Amino acid sequence: MSGPFWHLFTDGRKMQDIYLSDEMFELAETLLAVSCCKYPKVKVITFELMSNHMHLIASGPRTDCIALFDDFKQRQQRVFKKAGIIVDWDSFEADIIPIDSLKALRNEIVYTNRNAYVANPGHTPSNYPWGGGYAYFCPLIKHIETIEFDKLTYDRKRQIAHCRDIDNLSRLRVKDGMGVIVTSFCDISLGERMFQDARSYFNALTRNAEAFSLIAERLKDTIFLTDEELFNTSVKYAEANFGTKTVTMLSPEQKIQLAKELHFRYKATNQQIRRLLRMDIHILNEMFP
């Protein structure tokens, strides 16, 4: 009833690193918040800003979702240039794909909220600050001290929003003096209602390897499972195909078969396969150059 839903994303393989510090991430998140306010027909239910790409799950007209991204890109171009930060924005282009079922929507939300967790061992889906994931089923977020945007001075509003047109930004709430809190522009409650409860959401974060592989293939993502998740997948494959749970004790031929499964189906890197199966990295580099 709240649809149509979309997964909008950019390709990090084509883009240089954009956000090189916490300050740049926070600036980008604030600019995204301003763009969200400018397109009220779009409801963003989660997103994740990564160093060289982004994911955004939203509902609303397709044209408005694309216009929101274009507005976000233009704001970044202008603000970064003014700050003397040189970025080639030509490759920062968005693709958008429809989400046509509740099951798919749940998987896309979880996939997005996992993005930084998979890429960086220092993060979990609930502590990465530059996305909507940390706000999901987190009652503590209501206790973060914020101030209404409208209560700020005119100059302060323009300083935070980095624009002259500060109309329609009244729903934003500011934390830590500058940053915008995610719940003021991202409809977290709508995303939460797509799950039966907090426990079902939490279980989905680590138990959907098959669904994640399909999403990653569609989005052309290269890494979407952690070493621990790949290990569990390897054990299941070895037990089903070779009758053993000890993957390191497989024969060379069996290891090669499993390595191909991990590489082609689950996008495991050569180093991940080396660690999991204790294979020679030179052999893996020849198999998967």
Side-chain angles (χ1 to χ4, degrees):
M1 292 172 62
S2 299
F5 290 93
W6 309 93
H7 188 156
L8 184 148
F9 60 97
T10 63
D11 190 345
R13 299 172 304 169
K14 300 177 180 179
M15 191 63 193
Q16 68 181 90
D17 283 351
I18 311 169
Y19 316 119
L20 304 177
S21 66
D22 287 354
E23 291 75 20
M24 293 176 73
F25 270 108
E26 186 157 56
L27 171 59
E29 185 175 73
T30 299
L31 296 177
L32 177 61
V34 173
S35 295
C36 288
C37 291
K38 297 297 182 181
Y39 291 87
K41 292 183 180 180
V42 178
K43 289 185 178 180
V44 174
I45 59 177
T46 197
F47 71 97
E48 199 119 302
L49 296 176
M50 302 292 287
S51 60
N52 60 3
H53 71 283
M54 67 176 292
H55 293 270
L56 186 145
I57 309 298
S59 71
R62 184 180 187 276
T63 53
D64 284 52
C65 292
I66 295 174
L68 188 155
F69 171 81
D70 290 340
D71 184 80
F72 173 53
K73 177 180 177 179
Q74 291 169 9
R75 290 179 188 278
Q76 291 186 101
Q77 287 177 305
R78 176 176 53 80
V79 174
F80 277 49
K81 182 179 180 180
K82 185 176 180 181
I85 302 172
I86 300 174
V87 176
D88 181 1
W89 293 98
D90 290 344
S91 298
F92 193 66
E93 296 291 342
D95 288 317
I96 186 169
I97 55 177
I99 305 173
D100 54 10
S101 70
L102 176 59
K103 181 179 180 181
L105 178 57
R106 289 170 176 166
N107 289 335
E108 300 280 354
I109 292 172
V110 170
Y111 186 92
T112 297
N113 289 348
R114 282 169 43 94
N115 214 244
Y117 154 72
V118 172
N120 189 328
H123 294 297
T124 72
S126 59
N127 78 353
Y128 185 67
W130 317 119
Y134 75 89
Y136 268 66
F137 298 100
C138 179
L140 294 178
I141 200 168
K142 299 176 182 178
H143 301 285
I144 296 177
E145 186 175 349
T146 60
I147 183 172
E148 295 176 18
F149 191 78
D150 280 350
K151 291 185 177 180
L152 301 173
T153 65
Y154 178 76
D155 289 341
R156 188 63 168 161
K157 291 178 184 177
R158 290 183 55 181
Q159 182 184 10
I160 292 173
H162 293 273
C163 63
R164 297 177 181 178
D165 180 10
I166 54 175
D167 294 333
N168 305 317
L169 302 183
S170 59
R171 65 179 166 126
L172 297 181
R173 298 187 69 90
V174 179
K175 59 180 175 64
D176 301 331
M178 286 293 289
V180 176
I181 192 166
V182 66
T183 49
S184 66
F185 67 93
C186 194
D187 196 341
I188 300 297
S189 63
L190 176 59
E192 290 176 337
R193 292 198 297 275
M194 299 304 157
F195 298 87
Q196 293 177 331
D197 48 39
R199 182 166 58 188
S200 68
Y201 168 75
F202 183 80
N203 286 337
L205 286 171
T206 56
R207 297 187 179 182
N208 275 341
E210 295 295 330
F212 298 152
S213 69
L214 294 175
I215 295 172
E217 184 177 354
R218 189 164 54 158
L219 273 55
K220 299 180 176 61
D221 269 357
T222 53
I223 300 177
F224 59 90
L225 294 179
T226 65
D227 281 10
E228 293 78 10
E229 291 168 335
L230 282 171
F231 175 75
N232 291 334
T233 300
S234 300
V235 169
K236 291 179 181 178
Y237 184 90
E239 184 178 18
N241 292 273
F242 310 129
T244 179
K245 293 184 178 180
T246 310
V247 295
T248 56
M249 299 301 292
L250 297 176
S251 68
E253 294 77 13
Q254 290 171 334
K255 285 187 177 182
I256 288 174
Q257 181 178 331
L258 178 52
K260 290 179 179 178
E261 175 76 3
L262 295 176
H263 175 82
F264 291 112
R265 187 167 186 175
Y266 297 102
K267 309 297 183 184
T269 65
N270 289 355
Q271 287 293 345
Q272 285 180 313
I273 297 172
R274 178 191 64 80
R275 291 193 294 267
L276 291 171
L277 304 184
R278 297 181 185 174
M279 293 181 66
D280 190 311
I281 189 62
H282 299 294
I283 294 176
L284 291 171
N285 288 339
E286 289 183 3
M287 291 175 58
F288 315 119

